Amino acid sequence: MRTILIVGGGYAGFYTAWRLERKLRRGEARVVLVDPRPYMTYQPFLPEVLAGSVEARHAAVSLRRHLSRTDIIAGRVTRIDHAHRRVTVRPALGEEYALGYDIIVVTAGAVTRTLPIPGIAERAIGMKHVEEAVAIRDRLLTAFDEAAGLPPGPLRRKLLTVTFVGGGFSGVEGFGEALALAGSLLRRYPELNPDELSFHLVEARDRILPEVTDAPGEWVVRSLRRRGGHVHLNTQLRSARDGHVVLSTGEEFDSELIVWTAGNGANPMVHNHTDLPVDTRGLLTVRADLRVGTDEAPVPDAWGAGDDAAVPDLAAAGDGAATVPNAQHAVRQGKLLAANLIATLRGRKPEPYLHHSLGAVATLGLGRGIFQFHRLVVRGFPAWLMHRGYHVLAVPTWERKVRVLAVWATAVPFGRDIVSLRSVQHPRDAFLTGAGPRVPAPAHGVDPPEGTSAGDARRT
């Protein structure tokens, strides 16, 4: 029985394994998936996780629950040696080891692209994983609690200042949802003045949302500005040391929360630690049928899809274009990859990947959105409904669909949950504070230290 090894459990990897489980005959092949996380993150829900409109765990699809016939390895592939059909796996615990395979599927995904800007590594937080979205939400809620106990002044202004860097879908959606959450919080904090809120979106280009045309993008900018957001176009972040933000325009301000969403970069493992062919950007070279290589030089038993693969875009007008790295392509590529892999196992010809865009849809906060399909543009509440409808259909498994719908339904009468659980990031703090300093047990006939009962001393 041949072993199919899937590197990465994101969209493309999860859907490849999911479809293989359904289509493979018993004993036809063994499927192994390696990923450091035990779940697939449904990234379009992260802005709503940030805003509290979606429960964090509902944006994560358990690999072990939904891939019951796949061998799941909790670890990270650090090197691919396809010439010898083996990879190096770094497990969560223990030493690295070699793992053999017959067929490899590389769907490791991209990584957050960072720049050497002073203060970013120390202060910023990304928005690519569930943990990050939860941390952003908790920090924003905690900042409101802390600011409410302070008199007006620089520290209070810093706590109520939020900066998003990057004007793509992640940045704009996260910024819009954070802005909406902050607006709703003000009703619960009469001590705070709306004028003290300062939300900044910094984009190096002259427009945001490159997936939509100019007019809808300009409408989004106007909408965010009407709601009190500061949108800085043609602007670069120069420094964020100690939370002091310096922009290329000369503007400076202190910001307690800095969110980095300035695009994705090539996966270092794919770029630097594999003998499979990669292009100048560090992406896996993939044919239209998702097999690694080119039409002239195919690589046997190697496949790739998703954000770490340069998949030819057959729907594009010009030659040489690759599909954009988004969920819409990754999901469909994963499904086709599984079908093509099975076809080759059974002696049939694989099909090329061809997908025409279904349009672009984004949430800009509760009840606000933007949708574009060719010349059709929908704005406001209808677009927001379309966003929710599309993604509840797109999130995999009925179990997750029902859970998300249940949270949305309860939010209608009860509103947002505004409890911060930032302390969960340091779960031992309360225990250590309660334990206090260790007091030695007194010798027989000796009184315990002043202020400490004998019982307390014995328990200590």
Side-chain angles (χ1 to χ4, degrees), residues 4-6 8 10-24 31 33 67 70 105 107 290 303-305 330-339 341-342:
I4 301 171
L5 175 64
I6 302 175
Y11 294 114
F14 175 85
Y15 275 92
T16 298
W18 205 24
R19 188 60 62 92
L20 286 174
E21 285 196 352
R22 296 180 179 184
K23 300 298 183 180
L24 282 173
V31 181
L33 187 149
L67 299 178
T70 298
V105 175
T107 55
L290 304 180
W303 302 77
V331 168
R332 287 165 175 78
Q333 288 170 9
K335 293 178 179 179
L336 178 66
L337 195 158
L341 205 162
I342 292 173

Side-chain angles (χ1 to χ4, degrees), residues 399-411:
E399 174 252 344
R400 277 297 179 260
K401 298 180 197 294
V402 171
R403 289 181 184 274
V404 170
L405 284 171
V407 173
W408 284 344
T410 55

Side-chain angles (χ1 to χ4, degrees), residues 30-54:
R30 169 182 174 239
V31 181
V32 179
L33 187 149
V34 182
D35 195 276
R37 286 181 169 81
Y39 56 81
M40 184 272 281
T41 302
Y42 191 73
Q43 292 181 357
F45 277 159
L46 294 187
E48 297 205 54
V49 170
L50 183 160
S53 301
V54 170

Side-chain angles (χ1 to χ4, degrees), residues 206-385:
D206 61 353
R207 52 164 299 173
I208 61 174
L209 294 179
E211 294 84 353
V212 303
T213 55
D214 290 345
E218 292 168 359
W219 178 86
V220 172
V221 171
R222 292 195 301 270
S223 173
L224 294 174
R225 285 173 173 168
R226 281 196 302 268
R227 293 162 55 191
H230 304 278
V231 181
H232 306 267
L233 301 178
N234 289 314
T235 304
Q236 297 177 347
L237 178 66
R238 296 299 191 197
S239 175
R241 190 176 283 114
D242 297 326
H244 183 71
V245 173
V246 180
L247 304 180
S248 59
T249 57
E251 186 174 354
E252 300 183 24
F253 52 86
D254 290 327
S255 180
E256 178 67 16
L257 178 58
I258 301 173
V259 183
W260 182 268
T261 61
N264 296 323
N267 191 300
M269 186 276 294
V270 175
H271 191 188
N272 303 316
H273 303 292
T274 174
D275 57 353
L276 295 172
V278 297
D279 65 11
T280 55
R281 297 172 297 167
L283 300 178
L284 200 64
T285 302
V286 176
R287 303 175 358 156
D289 60 6
L290 304 180
R291 287 189 284 189
V292 174
T294 62
D295 292 336
E296 296 76 21
V299 179
D301 299 324
W303 302 77
D307 292 355
D308 65 355
V311 180
D313 190 354
L314 302 183
D319 294 333
T323 57
V324 297
N326 62 23
Q328 193 176 133
H329 283 299
V331 168
R332 287 165 175 78
Q333 288 170 9
K335 293 178 179 179
L336 178 66
L337 195 158
N340 281 350
L341 205 162
I342 292 173
T344 58
L345 287 175
R346 298 173 185 173
R348 300 198 304 269
K349 184 178 179 181
E351 299 292 329
Y353 176 74
L354 174 61
H355 173 66
H356 296 278
S357 174
L358 300 176
V361 62
T363 175
L364 303 175
L366 193 63
R368 303 175 178 91
I370 182 76
F371 168 79
Q372 182 176 19
F373 178 69
H374 298 306
R375 294 186 178 181
L376 173 64
V377 178
V378 181
R379 304 181 180 94
F381 186 73
W384 177 77
L385 286 178

Side-chain angles (χ1 to χ4, degrees), residues 180-200:
L181 174 60
S184 67
L185 286 174
L186 284 173
R187 296 193 294 270
R188 308 291 182 182
Y189 291 86
E191 307 94 331
L192 303 179
N193 190 316
D195 294 336
E196 295 179 285
L197 292 184
S198 186
F199 278 63
H200 298 263

